[in-house]
Amino acid sequence: MGKFNGIKINKVCVTPYVKNYIKDNKLFFITFYGLYLAVFVLSLFVVLSYESEFTHVNYYQLIMNGEYGFVKVTLKYFLYNLLLAACAMLTYRKKFAFAIMYFVVTFLAYRLAVNIVGSWNCNMIINVLNAILFYFMIYLIFVVTIVTIICYINKNYLYCSRSCPITLKKMLGFTLIVAIVTGIVIAIFTVVLPLILKCILF
């Protein structure tokens, strides 16, 4: 038995839930995350052949130069995440519409490779920080948002008919919660961590 902010957490109850959640959604975890990593690696090799043609923002270089807009960048990626959450939620209307999100994940993996290679234009420390603690983590959060909502839809609304006012309301609430929670995590990597590293390194 553990405590979190004064609330008792029963590990005996939590552990089976987590195991069942992973077991029930194992196929989505393997296919979505596997596809994401595979396409990213493949795209990285392809993009490296054309690296001189890509130019993208190195956010940690902007931080080092004092040109980084914390609010602007955070809002930008928060809205992207919200849009992806909305797209994932709308897939409930058709039984296999969630398959479209595989193409979205493929595109995200490709864009991640392009952004990392295109922004690799500073010293090694700045490049690594920008690649891992910014682009890689934020794009991973995008995929987590999609997969979490898809798993929820698969469990509760896969066979929902066209008119489901009650379930749609619940789904919208769940989607907003996921978008807000992952949005907070995005803020950690666009605001909190850059501020900490700026004080330590720059």
Side-chain angles (χ1 to χ4, degrees):
M1 186 84 69
K3 289 187 177 182
F4 181 73
N5 290 338
I7 301 175
K8 292 184 178 180
I9 301 175
N10 193 328
K11 294 181 180 179
V12 177
C13 295
V14 173
T15 303
Y17 176 82
V18 172
K19 287 182 177 179
N20 288 333
Y21 180 77
I22 295 174
K23 181 181 178 181
D24 293 341
N25 300 291
K26 182 167 63 175
L27 178 61
F28 291 119
F29 292 156
I30 294 174
T31 54
F32 274 105
Y33 292 120
L35 176 67
Y36 177 69
L37 291 175
V39 173
F40 169 66
V41 172
L42 179 62
S43 298
L44 204 56
F45 282 108
V46 174
V47 173
L48 282 172
S49 302
Y50 305 93
E51 58 180 316
S52 60
E53 299 179 15
F54 299 106
T55 303
H56 289 279
V57 179
N58 187 316
Y59 288 103
Y60 272 85
Q61 185 177 24
L62 293 181
I63 294 171
M64 181 180 66
N65 297 335
E67 301 172 355
Y68 182 80
F70 290 93
V71 176
K72 181 180 178 181
V73 174
T74 302
L75 183 60
K76 172 185 174 181
Y77 285 102
F78 180 84
L79 291 176
Y80 283 163
N81 187 59
L82 186 61
L83 177 62
L84 290 171
C87 291
M89 183 195 75
L90 293 176
T91 60
Y92 89 99
R93 292 298 299 273
K94 298 294 181 180
K95 184 176 179 181
F96 296 107
F98 65 84
I100 296 173
M101 301 312 294
Y102 283 104
F103 293 99
V104 175
V105 168
T106 299
F107 177 74
L108 288 174
Y110 167 74
R111 288 301 306 174
L112 173 61
V114 170
N115 288 338
I116 289 177
V117 173
S119 61
W120 200 271
N121 50 22
C122 197
N123 64 64
M124 183 59 70
I125 295 177
I126 298 298
N127 287 336
V128 170
L129 288 174
N130 180 70
I132 297 178
L133 296 183
F134 196 93
Y135 281 122
F136 187 81
M137 292 308 303
I138 289 178
Y139 275 74
L140 179 60
I141 293 166
F142 288 164
V143 179
V144 169
T145 296
I146 292 171
V147 175
T148 303
I149 294 172
I150 290 295
C151 290
Y152 184 74
I153 290 173
N154 178 64
K155 180 179 179 180
N156 298 284
Y157 306 107
L158 189 57
Y159 301 101
C160 181
S161 61
R162 293 195 172 202
S163 178
C164 302
I166 297 178
T167 55
L168 181 58
K169 181 179 179 181
K170 291 180 180 179
M171 194 184 333
L172 179 60
F174 180 82
T175 301
L176 286 174
I177 291 173
V178 172
I180 290 171
V181 171
T182 51
I184 292 172
V185 179
I186 287 175
I188 291 174
F189 287 99
T190 58
V191 178
V192 179
L193 201 55
L195 281 174
I196 293 174
L197 291 175
K198 182 179 180 180
C199 294
I200 296 175
L201 302 176
F202 312 134

